[in-house]
Amino acid sequence: MSRTYVITGAASGIGKVTAEILRERGETVIGVDLKDVEVAGDLSNHEGRLAAAAEAAQLAGGTVDAVIPCAGLSVMKPVTVAVNFFGMAEFLEALLPALGRSEAPRVALVSSMASLQPVSTALVDAMLAGDEEQALSIAGSLAEASPESNPIYSSSKRAISRWVRREAPTEAWGGAGIPLNAVAPGTVVTPMTKDLLASERGRAMTDAYVPMPLNSHQGAESIAHLLIWLTSVENTHCTGQTVYCDGGADTVLRGDDVWSWNDEAMARKFREIGARLRG
Protein backbone atom coordinates (compact mmCIF):
# COMPACT_ATOMS: atom_id res chain seq x y z
CA MET A 1 0.00 0.00 0.00
CA SER A 2 1.30 3.44 -0.94
CA ARG A 3 2.48 5.69 1.88
CA THR A 4 2.23 9.47 1.96
CA TYR A 5 5.45 11.37 2.63
CA VAL A 6 6.00 15.06 3.33
CA ILE A 7 9.53 16.15 2.45
CA THR A 8 10.93 19.62 3.07
CA GLY A 9 13.74 20.91 0.92
CA ALA A 10 12.29 18.75 -1.87
CA ALA A 11 13.35 21.04 -4.72
CA SER A 12 17.08 20.28 -4.47
CA GLY A 13 19.81 18.19 -2.89
CA ILE A 14 19.00 15.34 -0.52
CA GLY A 15 15.31 16.23 -0.38
CA LYS A 16 14.91 16.13 -4.15
CA VAL A 17 16.71 12.81 -4.53
CA THR A 18 14.70 11.27 -1.68
CA ALA A 19 11.45 12.43 -3.27
CA GLU A 20 12.46 11.02 -6.65
CA ILE A 21 13.30 7.60 -5.22
CA LEU A 22 10.04 7.43 -3.31
CA ARG A 23 7.97 8.43 -6.32
CA GLU A 24 9.71 5.79 -8.42
CA ARG A 25 8.60 3.25 -5.81
CA GLY A 26 5.01 4.37 -6.14
CA GLU A 27 4.77 6.39 -2.92
CA THR A 28 2.91 9.69 -2.66
CA VAL A 29 5.23 12.63 -2.00
CA ILE A 30 4.23 16.14 -0.99
CA GLY A 31 7.25 18.37 -1.42
CA VAL A 32 7.74 21.56 0.58
CA ASP A 33 10.19 24.23 -0.56
CA LEU A 34 10.29 27.82 -1.72
CA LYS A 35 9.23 26.87 -5.26
CA ASP A 36 8.89 24.03 -7.80
CA VAL A 37 7.06 21.73 -5.35
CA GLU A 38 3.54 20.91 -4.17
CA VAL A 39 3.71 23.30 -1.20
CA ALA A 40 5.52 26.62 -1.59
CA GLY A 41 6.45 27.59 1.95
CA ASP A 42 9.00 29.63 3.86
CA LEU A 43 10.30 27.67 6.86
CA SER A 44 12.40 30.58 8.12
CA ASN A 45 9.50 32.05 10.11
CA HIS A 46 6.72 30.88 12.42
CA GLU A 47 3.82 31.77 10.13
CA GLY A 48 5.42 30.14 7.12
CA ARG A 49 6.03 26.88 8.98
CA LEU A 50 2.48 26.59 10.24
CA ALA A 51 1.02 27.50 6.84
CA ALA A 52 3.21 24.96 5.03
CA ALA A 53 2.36 22.21 7.53
CA ALA A 54 -1.36 22.95 7.25
CA GLU A 55 -1.29 22.90 3.44
CA ALA A 56 0.75 19.68 3.37
CA ALA A 57 -1.69 17.99 5.77
CA GLN A 58 -4.62 19.15 3.65
CA LEU A 59 -3.07 17.79 0.45
CA ALA A 60 -2.47 14.50 2.28
CA GLY A 61 -6.14 14.24 3.16
CA GLY A 62 -5.39 14.73 6.84
CA THR A 63 -3.16 11.66 7.20
CA VAL A 64 0.62 11.75 6.79
CA ASP A 65 2.59 8.50 7.07
CA ALA A 66 6.07 9.99 7.19
CA VAL A 67 7.85 13.32 7.31
CA ILE A 68 11.43 13.80 6.10
CA PRO A 69 12.64 17.35 6.83
CA CYS A 70 15.65 18.00 4.60
CA ALA A 71 15.46 21.79 4.18
CA GLY A 72 18.58 23.42 5.52
CA LEU A 73 21.07 26.25 5.08
CA SER A 74 24.81 26.44 5.67
CA VAL A 75 25.27 30.22 5.60
CA MET A 76 26.87 31.75 8.67
CA LYS A 77 23.87 33.97 9.42
CA PRO A 78 20.91 33.87 11.85
CA VAL A 79 18.57 32.55 9.12
CA THR A 80 20.42 29.23 9.37
CA VAL A 81 19.14 28.87 12.94
CA ALA A 82 15.61 29.73 11.83
CA VAL A 83 15.56 27.08 9.09
CA ASN A 84 17.82 24.33 10.43
CA PHE A 85 16.31 24.13 13.91
CA PHE A 86 12.97 25.90 14.21
CA GLY A 87 12.08 25.14 10.59
CA MET A 88 12.34 21.45 11.44
CA ALA A 89 11.12 21.25 15.04
CA GLU A 90 8.13 23.56 14.70
CA PHE A 91 7.11 22.13 11.33
CA LEU A 92 7.16 18.60 12.75
CA GLU A 93 5.17 19.56 15.82
CA ALA A 94 2.54 21.13 13.55
CA LEU A 95 2.23 17.85 11.64
CA LEU A 96 1.85 15.64 14.72
CA PRO A 97 -1.97 15.41 14.41
CA ALA A 98 -1.70 14.23 10.79
CA LEU A 99 1.02 11.73 11.72
CA GLY A 100 -1.16 10.47 14.55
CA ARG A 101 -3.78 9.32 12.02
CA SER A 102 -1.33 7.01 10.25
CA GLU A 103 -1.08 3.30 11.09
CA ALA A 104 2.70 3.49 10.87
CA PRO A 105 3.91 7.08 11.35
CA ARG A 106 7.62 7.78 10.99
CA VAL A 107 9.95 10.81 11.01
CA ALA A 108 13.59 11.14 10.00
CA LEU A 109 15.32 14.47 9.50
CA VAL A 110 18.70 15.62 8.24
CA SER A 111 21.25 16.70 10.80
CA SER A 112 24.99 16.69 10.03
CA MET A 113 28.31 15.41 11.28
CA ALA A 114 28.94 19.12 11.91
CA SER A 115 27.02 18.48 15.14
CA LEU A 116 30.36 17.09 16.40
CA GLN A 117 32.19 20.34 15.72
CA PRO A 118 32.58 23.29 18.15
CA VAL A 119 29.32 25.06 18.99
CA SER A 120 27.98 28.04 20.89
CA THR A 121 26.51 26.57 24.07
CA ALA A 122 24.35 29.65 24.60
CA LEU A 123 22.94 29.36 21.08
CA VAL A 124 22.23 25.64 21.44
CA ASP A 125 20.53 26.23 24.80
CA ALA A 126 18.33 28.99 23.35
CA MET A 127 17.21 26.74 20.50
CA LEU A 128 16.43 23.84 22.82
CA ALA A 129 14.47 26.22 25.06
CA GLY A 130 12.33 27.10 22.03
CA ASP A 131 13.30 30.77 22.33
CA GLU A 132 13.66 31.75 18.68
CA GLU A 133 14.02 35.46 19.39
CA GLN A 134 16.91 34.86 21.76
CA ALA A 135 18.51 32.30 19.44
CA LEU A 136 18.40 34.70 16.50
CA SER A 137 19.86 37.46 18.66
CA ILE A 138 22.78 35.27 19.75
CA ALA A 139 23.35 34.12 16.17
CA GLY A 140 23.32 37.74 15.03
CA SER A 141 26.04 38.61 17.52
CA LEU A 142 28.13 35.64 16.40
CA ALA A 143 27.74 36.63 12.75
CA GLU A 144 28.64 40.24 13.47
CA ALA A 145 31.74 39.27 15.44
CA SER A 146 32.97 36.81 12.83
CA PRO A 147 31.08 36.88 9.50
CA GLU A 148 33.37 34.37 7.77
CA SER A 149 33.79 31.77 10.51
CA ASN A 150 31.33 31.13 13.33
CA PRO A 151 29.55 28.16 14.95
CA ILE A 152 26.01 29.00 13.81
CA TYR A 153 25.69 26.03 11.45
CA SER A 154 27.25 23.45 13.78
CA SER A 155 25.16 24.79 16.67
CA SER A 156 21.95 24.40 14.66
CA LYS A 157 22.82 20.80 13.86
CA ARG A 158 23.87 19.98 17.43
CA ALA A 159 20.58 21.42 18.67
CA ILE A 160 18.38 19.50 16.23
CA SER A 161 20.14 16.21 17.07
CA ARG A 162 19.65 16.89 20.76
CA TRP A 163 16.01 17.82 20.14
CA VAL A 164 15.50 14.45 18.41
CA ARG A 165 17.08 12.61 21.33
CA ARG A 166 15.06 14.58 23.89
CA GLU A 167 11.71 14.29 22.14
CA ALA A 168 11.89 10.71 20.83
CA PRO A 169 10.94 8.95 24.11
CA THR A 170 8.17 11.38 25.08
CA GLU A 171 4.46 10.63 24.99
CA ALA A 172 3.99 12.85 21.94
CA TRP A 173 6.44 10.77 19.89
CA GLY A 174 7.52 7.39 21.27
CA GLY A 175 4.34 7.12 23.31
CA ALA A 176 2.33 7.71 20.14
CA GLY A 177 4.24 5.05 18.23
CA ILE A 178 6.25 7.48 16.11
CA PRO A 179 9.96 6.70 15.62
CA LEU A 180 11.88 10.00 15.47
CA ASN A 181 15.43 9.94 14.14
CA ALA A 182 18.08 11.99 12.37
CA VAL A 183 20.72 11.21 9.77
CA ALA A 184 24.09 12.96 9.89
CA PRO A 185 25.78 13.09 6.49
CA GLY A 186 29.41 13.84 5.86
CA THR A 187 30.28 15.87 2.77
CA VAL A 188 27.42 15.39 0.33
CA VAL A 189 27.81 16.47 -3.29
CA THR A 190 24.85 18.83 -3.72
CA PRO A 191 24.29 22.35 -5.09
CA MET A 192 25.00 23.62 -1.55
CA THR A 193 28.56 22.18 -1.58
CA LYS A 194 29.31 22.49 -5.30
CA ASP A 195 31.29 25.74 -5.09
CA LEU A 196 33.25 24.64 -2.03
CA LEU A 197 34.32 21.38 -3.66
CA ALA A 198 35.17 23.01 -6.98
CA SER A 199 38.63 24.15 -5.88
CA GLU A 200 41.58 22.15 -4.57
CA ARG A 201 41.80 24.46 -1.56
CA GLY A 202 38.10 24.01 -0.81
CA ARG A 203 38.34 20.23 -1.03
CA ALA A 204 41.42 20.14 1.21
CA MET A 205 39.74 22.32 3.84
CA THR A 206 36.56 20.23 3.70
CA ASP A 207 38.45 16.95 4.06
CA ALA A 208 40.43 18.28 7.02
CA TYR A 209 37.21 19.00 8.92
CA VAL A 210 35.27 16.00 7.55
CA PRO A 211 37.65 13.05 7.05
CA MET A 212 35.82 10.32 5.09
CA PRO A 213 37.98 7.18 4.78
CA LEU A 214 35.11 5.16 3.26
CA ASN A 215 34.47 6.22 -0.36
CA SER A 216 35.11 9.94 0.30
CA HIS A 217 32.43 12.50 -0.69
CA GLN A 218 28.99 10.98 -0.96
CA GLY A 219 26.07 11.29 -3.30
CA ALA A 220 22.70 12.42 -1.99
CA GLU A 221 21.24 8.96 -2.64
CA SER A 222 23.40 7.50 0.16
CA ILE A 223 21.45 9.63 2.63
CA ALA A 224 18.12 9.26 0.83
CA HIS A 225 18.10 5.47 1.15
CA LEU A 226 18.80 5.66 4.89
CA LEU A 227 16.07 8.26 5.41
CA ILE A 228 13.66 6.03 3.52
CA TRP A 229 14.44 2.99 5.66
CA LEU A 230 14.09 4.97 8.89
CA THR A 231 10.63 6.13 7.74
CA SER A 232 9.54 2.71 6.47
CA VAL A 233 7.17 0.31 8.25
CA GLU A 234 10.19 -1.96 8.84
CA ASN A 235 11.62 0.50 11.37
CA THR A 236 9.72 -0.39 14.51
CA HIS A 237 12.27 0.29 17.26
CA CYS A 238 15.05 2.61 16.08
CA THR A 239 14.32 6.01 17.63
CA GLY A 240 16.12 8.97 19.14
CA GLN A 241 19.22 8.31 17.07
CA THR A 242 21.44 10.48 14.96
CA VAL A 243 22.81 7.94 12.49
CA TYR A 244 26.18 9.05 11.14
CA CYS A 245 26.21 8.14 7.45
CA ASP A 246 29.44 10.02 6.86
CA GLY A 247 32.07 7.76 5.37
CA GLY A 248 33.62 7.23 8.80
CA ALA A 249 34.10 10.88 9.82
CA ASP A 250 32.45 10.32 13.19
CA THR A 251 34.72 7.41 14.04
CA VAL A 252 37.86 9.27 12.97
CA LEU A 253 36.97 12.36 15.00
CA ARG A 254 35.56 10.68 18.12
CA GLY A 255 37.60 7.49 18.16
CA ASP A 256 36.54 4.04 19.30
CA ASP A 257 35.26 4.90 22.80
CA VAL A 258 32.20 7.11 23.10
CA TRP A 259 30.94 5.37 26.24
CA SER A 260 33.34 5.55 29.17
CA TRP A 261 33.03 9.33 29.71
CA ASN A 262 29.50 8.62 30.88
CA ASP A 263 30.16 5.44 32.89
CA GLU A 264 29.89 7.05 36.32
CA ALA A 265 26.66 8.86 35.48
CA MET A 266 25.10 5.64 34.19
CA ALA A 267 26.28 3.67 37.23
CA ARG A 268 24.64 6.30 39.45
CA LYS A 269 21.41 6.06 37.46
CA PHE A 270 21.30 2.29 37.79
CA ARG A 271 21.95 2.54 41.53
CA GLU A 272 18.97 4.90 41.78
CA ILE A 273 16.78 2.48 39.82
CA GLY A 274 17.87 -0.39 42.06
CA ALA A 275 17.05 1.62 45.17
CA ARG A 276 13.55 2.40 43.86
CA LEU A 277 12.91 -1.22 42.99
CA ARG A 278 13.93 -2.32 46.48
CA GLY A 279 11.40 0.13 47.88
Side-chain angles (χ1 to χ4, degrees), residues 79-162:
V79 67
T80 293
V81 167
V83 174
N84 290 10
F85 181 81
F86 295 100
M88 287 190 176
E90 191 169 23
F91 182 80
L92 285 172
E93 288 167 349
L95 279 174
L96 266 173
L99 281 164
R101 298 186 183 96
S102 171
E103 294 183 1
R106 306 282 187 268
V107 172
L109 57 83
V110 176
S111 179
S112 171
M113 64 72 54
S115 61
L116 304 177
Q117 295 172 351
V119 301
S120 162
T121 301
L123 179 53
V124 172
D125 288 347
M127 284 185 275
L128 288 172
D131 190 339
E132 187 167 5
E133 182 178 356
Q134 177 69 3
L136 293 176
S137 175
I138 294 171
S141 297
L142 291 169
E144 184 177 351
S146 182
E148 301 299 324
S149 177
N150 61 59
I152 290 175
Y153 178 75
S154 59
S155 297
S156 72
K157 294 302 187 179
R158 174 80 62 86
I160 200 63
S161 280
R162 285 186 58 183

